[in-house]
Amino acid sequence: MSGGLLVAGTTSDAGKSVVTAGICRWLVRQGVKVAPFKAQNMSLNSFVTREGAEIGRAQAMQAQACRVEPTAQMNPVLLKPGGEQSSQVVLLGKPVGEMSARGYHGGRQQRLLGTVLDCLAELRGTYDAVICEGAGSPAEINLRRTDIVNMGIARGAGFPVLVVGDIDRGGVFASFFGTVALLAPEDQALVAGFLVNKFRGDVSLLEPGLDMLQGLTGRRTYGVLPFRHGLGIDEEDGLRVSLRGTVRESVVAPPVGEDVLRVAVCAVPLMSNFTDVDALAAEPGVVVRFVDRPEELADADLVIVPGTRGTVRALEWLRERGLADALARRVAERRPVLGICGGFQLLGEHIEDDVESRAGHVDGLGLLPVRVRFAREKTLTRPVGEALGEHVEGYEIHHGVADVTGGDPFLDGCRVGQTWGTHWHGSLESDGFRRAFLREVAAAAGRRFVPAPDTSFAALREEQLDRLGDLIEHHADTDALWRLIESGAPQGLPFIPPGAPA
């Protein structure tokens, strides 16, 4: 077998990432050597590969679905928003500068098409199949001229396109039809058909509509995936805790001890890698919520200040909302606070930032003995260490360089009393360390909480990916999908007017 497929969507969040991961897991279980690919990703949730390249977390999870190590070639362009109109451009895993949306779409994006096609060709030369994920909608007619992630990739690689629609939102038939009808004839020829996502109810009631859709477009529907809670892999953006849905909405596990543990995560602007708290949400008896008001910290046993793409902006936001004062009161009362990456930096004494915000000297919250200087070179590493007597693995993505001047060492950061800070993302995914940390938090909070002795975050992720593979295997026409991946789009697909505007 040799081939590929582009999974496009009628909208953002239609389910492209989930469907791509599901197809990848289904294929690898058939013995196919498969890789994921997303030419361009816009996300603040990123990951560091073993060679020190930064890519989107969704592609890292899709690589896990394929049971392969993620590489920079799987997500050659990553855009990390720094505001409403600008993003940091990460090319082949390394930042190459900040750019406005107008500047990027005005010429830079199109010049990257050759790079992304080279990466795709490299993957095609290594794997039996490559399953590509699009972005947004392929019918964004204002962006088609410079597109390198939807039909630009499909046409460049000659890949068939499967369009995913979220029926739970409503309007899925119009979305399918309109998506095809706004594409140029050359692009329409590659759109093989549709996949309905998040369907609730009796599928026989939907079938007449699917038959009419085929009559209108000449394209079949390759499957109807039922609505399932907790099937999202690591999100590109948003405020959903992906694994929490899997654990809490499928099997409700009671706490092992007598009490639950309440975790409040400050929803700072430009929050990055909020997936760090997934491992906490996976623990029976741990309740995780995102908060933006100081009174919401009052009953929390642990407050987490997460990573952010805008440390200085997040610092201002905390002060404006009264959260900075609430955090200071917690620290004075020796109640647990954990700062991760940008959250760690703003807990320090002061920040010198001539790179990210260009604000120069800014006073931090002064809750940890740390001074931070922003370097132009970004730190991208996969550290391994020990804390609380347990093995810990993580990954670092930051411009800020921390000078720790006191406290007890903690994962390259420090700890003072019950205030903890580290640059390490993903540390809570290490099961032994997570349990030890939660025991410390419970003791400090006076909670009779006991971590479950057998929660394996890695095993839960594997179960989640297998559920995605099962969804494709049981509810999609896998024989037809196989032919599509192997042989390309069917010949003679009709043109649906009006097509793309001139």
Side-chain angles (χ1 to χ4, degrees):
M1 179 181 184
S2 177
L5 174 71
L6 174 71
V7 178
T10 55
T11 62
S12 296
D13 201 33
K16 298 182 292 290
S17 296
V18 166
V19 169
T20 300
I23 292 174
C24 287
R25 178 49 62 102
W26 162 65
L27 283 171
V28 81
R29 293 194 309 206
Q30 310 308 308
V32 178
K33 188 179 179 185
V34 60
F37 180 78
K38 185 163 185 173
Q40 173 193 293
N41 198 347
M42 178 172 280
S43 178
L44 289 172
N45 282 337
S46 58
F47 183 74
V48 179
T49 67
R50 293 204 180 279
E51 68 268 25
E54 185 180 8
I55 66 171
R57 276 198 67 99
Q59 280 59 65
M61 285 293 288
Q62 288 164 357
Q64 186 175 347
C66 298
R67 297 179 179 145
V68 298
E69 275 291 323
T71 67
Q73 286 72 29
M74 295 174 184
N75 178 207
V77 181
L78 174 63
L79 305 179
K80 302 193 72 175
E84 293 298 324
Q85 297 185 6
S86 67
S87 294
Q88 182 181 66
V89 181
V90 180
L91 180 62
L92 293 175
K94 303 296 181 184
V96 294
E98 296 279 335
M99 188 167 288
S100 69
R102 180 178 292 275
Y104 183 68
H105 290 286
R108 177 66 181 269
Q109 183 182 37
Q110 182 63 25
R111 292 196 295 273
L112 294 174
L113 180 60
T115 300
V116 300
L117 286 173
D118 287 345
C119 289
L120 180 56
E122 186 175 337
L123 292 174
R124 294 182 74 180
T126 305
Y127 294 90
D128 300 327
V130 180
I131 307 302
C132 306
E133 180 189 344
S137 163
E140 291 168 350
I141 53 179
N142 56 315
L143 302 177
R144 177 62 185 94
R145 182 178 60 84
T146 58
D147 170 48
I148 66 170
V149 65
N150 288 306
M151 301 312 299
I153 278 291
R155 203 191 293 190
F159 276 0
V161 179
L162 186 68
V163 180
V164 177
D166 179 356
I167 198 169
D168 197 48
R169 295 182 174 191
V172 74
F173 293 116
S175 298
F176 281 145
F177 183 88
T179 296
V180 179
L182 283 175
L183 299 179
E186 298 84 355
D187 290 343
Q188 286 195 22
L190 295 173
V191 179
F194 314 107
L195 188 76
V196 176
N197 191 28
K198 299 184 183 178
F199 179 73
R200 304 172 190 253
D202 184 350
V203 74
S204 67
L205 299 176
L206 185 66
E207 287 169 350
L210 300 179
D211 292 339
M212 287 185 271
L213 181 66
Q214 184 166 4
L216 288 166
T217 66
R219 290 159 174 85
R220 57 162 299 178
T221 298
Y222 284 78
V224 178
L225 308 185
F227 188 97
R228 292 286 188 268
H229 287 293
L231 286 179
I233 62 172
D234 289 2
E235 309 293 345
E236 292 187 353
D237 277 310
L239 276 182
R240 290 188 296 174
V241 185
S242 56
L243 207 62
R244 177 188 176 87
T246 298
V247 176
R248 296 307 176 82
E249 296 177 14
S250 56
V251 178
V252 179
V256 176
E258 297 180 48
D259 290 341
V260 299
L261 209 60
R262 295 173 177 84
V263 179
V265 184
C266 295
V268 296
L270 298 174
M271 180 164 48
S272 62
N273 289 74
F274 56 83
T275 47
D276 282 333
V277 302
D278 281 0
L280 293 179
E283 283 285 349
V286 176
V287 179
V288 177
R289 67 183 189 272
F290 291 91
V291 303
D292 60 5
R293 299 194 303 267
E295 58 269 24
E296 293 178 294
L297 304 189
D299 67 342
D301 302 307
L302 168 66
V303 172
I304 295 179
V305 188
T308 171
R309 172 79 166 84
T311 302
V312 171
R313 178 176 168 184
L315 188 57
E316 293 170 350
W317 181 87
L318 290 169
R319 286 178 168 137
E320 289 167 0
R321 289 183 169 257
L323 286 159
D325 290 338
L327 286 168
R329 286 193 297 271
R330 285 189 67 91
V331 170
E333 295 165 0
R334 297 181 63 83
R335 301 176 67 198
V337 173
L338 171 63
I340 302 175
C341 199
F344 164 45
Q345 295 168 6
L346 60 81
L347 292 179
E349 296 168 349
H350 72 249
I351 298 169
E352 288 288 342
D353 182 9
D354 296 318
V355 176
E356 190 175 77
S357 68
R358 297 182 173 86
H361 179 93
V362 177
D363 289 334
L365 297 184
L367 304 178
L368 284 174
V370 177
R371 300 172 182 175
V372 176
R373 175 185 55 81
F374 274 67
R376 298 200 176 275
E377 190 74 19
K378 183 184 279 192
T379 297
L380 297 167
T381 62
R382 291 270 294 270
V384 176
E386 185 176 298
L388 303 179
E390 298 286 348
H391 176 78
V392 190
E393 296 183 18
Y395 57 100
E396 294 187 46
I397 306 169
H398 54 91
H399 283 281
V401 179
D403 178 19
V404 179
T405 60
D408 297 320
F410 174 68
L411 299 180
D412 95 342
C414 67
R415 169 191 182 179
V416 176
Q418 292 301 320
T419 305
W420 318 63
T422 178
H423 274 130
W424 290 25
H425 294 291
S427 62
L428 294 167
E429 296 177 18
S430 298
D431 297 327
F433 166 71
R434 181 180 65 255
R435 287 192 278 269
F437 179 69
L438 289 176
R439 282 192 291 269
E440 289 249 359
V441 169
R447 297 289 185 186
R448 291 171 294 181
F449 168 85
V450 178
D454 55 356
T455 301
S456 168
F457 189 71
L460 288 170
R461 274 193 165 161
E462 277 299 302
E463 289 173 15
Q464 184 184 35
L465 293 169
D466 277 332
R467 291 178 67 206
L468 295 179
D470 292 343
L471 202 67
I472 297 298
E473 186 171 340
H474 298 153
H475 300 282
D477 186 340
T478 51
D479 289 340
L481 273 180
W482 190 284
R483 290 192 297 272
L484 200 60
I485 293 167
E486 194 171 34
S487 304
Q491 297 297 306
L493 293 169
F495 171 73
I496 308 301

